[in-house]
Amino acid sequence: MSQQSTFIMVKPDGVRRGLIGEIISRFERKGLTLDKIRVLTIDEDLARRHYAEHVEKPFFPELLAFITSGPVVAMQWSGENAVAVARKIMGATNPQEAEPGTIRGDYGLVVTENLVHGSDSPESAARELALFFP
Ligand code: DAT
Ligand code: MG
């Protein structure tokens, strides 16, 4: 356990559906601290760098079209064990498998449109935070 920072992003579906406040409030209520926030539309270059590990995957074209389809809310959150705690609040990648009570479990239905991104390790967090908050 340690003090950590993590990168969290409300994806275009969360913004379109008016769920920014709902998603932010879940991290807030848990006790994490919002350090940085910005609204932007991701272009193809940033999408390829952010999702570098997935560029060769069969689902990447769909992921690229989706993540560049409208504004996102990019954030830095910090707190004790923030990386893993935030992933727990988000729920499983596929919203159909995500538990009720998680963001994806409560609001998502299909895997591409799963509302929220969160770093999967402290190393990913450092890389992603540097991309979005240079
Ligand atoms: P996570 O967002 O939980 O870290 P990931 O990094 O494995 O999941 O994948 C990044 C995003 O890509 C994920 O949020 C939704 C999409 N995705 C993942 N696996 C997929 C699949 N099998 N089919 C379609 N989209 C997928
Ligand atoms: Mg991931």
Side-chain angles (χ1 to χ4, degrees):
M1 302 282 261
S2 60
Q3 193 69 17
Q4 294 176 341
S5 294
T6 191
F7 176 66
I8 301 290
M9 177 169 72
V10 181
K11 295 183 179 181
D13 57 334
V15 175
R16 275 194 287 271
R17 291 172 59 191
L19 293 172
I20 297 170
E22 171 62 32
I23 290 169
I24 285 179
S25 74
R26 297 205 175 201
F27 296 106
E28 257 188 329
R29 285 182 305 196
K30 183 66 177 173
L32 295 170
T33 300
L34 178 61
D35 301 317
K36 298 178 185 176
I37 184 165
R38 71 183 271 235
V39 179
L40 74 155
T41 300
I42 296 179
D43 64 16
E44 180 167 345
D45 178 63
L46 181 56
R48 287 181 176 279
R49 288 197 281 159
H50 174 64
Y51 281 129
E53 67 188 292
H54 298 309
V55 166
E56 301 302 327
K57 305 256 176 77
F59 60 80
F60 185 73
E62 194 182 339
L63 177 60
L64 175 63
F66 166 64
I67 208 67
T68 59
S69 67
V72 300
V73 180
M75 297 171 280
Q76 176 179 309
W77 287 84
S78 63
E80 179 84 14
N81 220 13
V83 173
V85 167
R87 294 281 294 190
K88 212 160 209 173
I89 291 168
M90 290 161 50
T93 301
N94 185 341
Q96 294 181 14
E97 286 155 19
E99 296 295 330
T102 66
I103 295 166
R104 289 163 167 177
D106 286 349
Y107 297 110
L109 189 60
V110 294
V111 67
T112 304
E113 303 191 2
N114 62 4
L115 297 145
V116 62
H117 169 87
S119 308
D120 62 10
S121 68
E123 295 71 30
S124 299
R127 190 183 70 81
E128 293 166 359
L129 287 168
L131 273 179
F132 284 86
F133 297 101

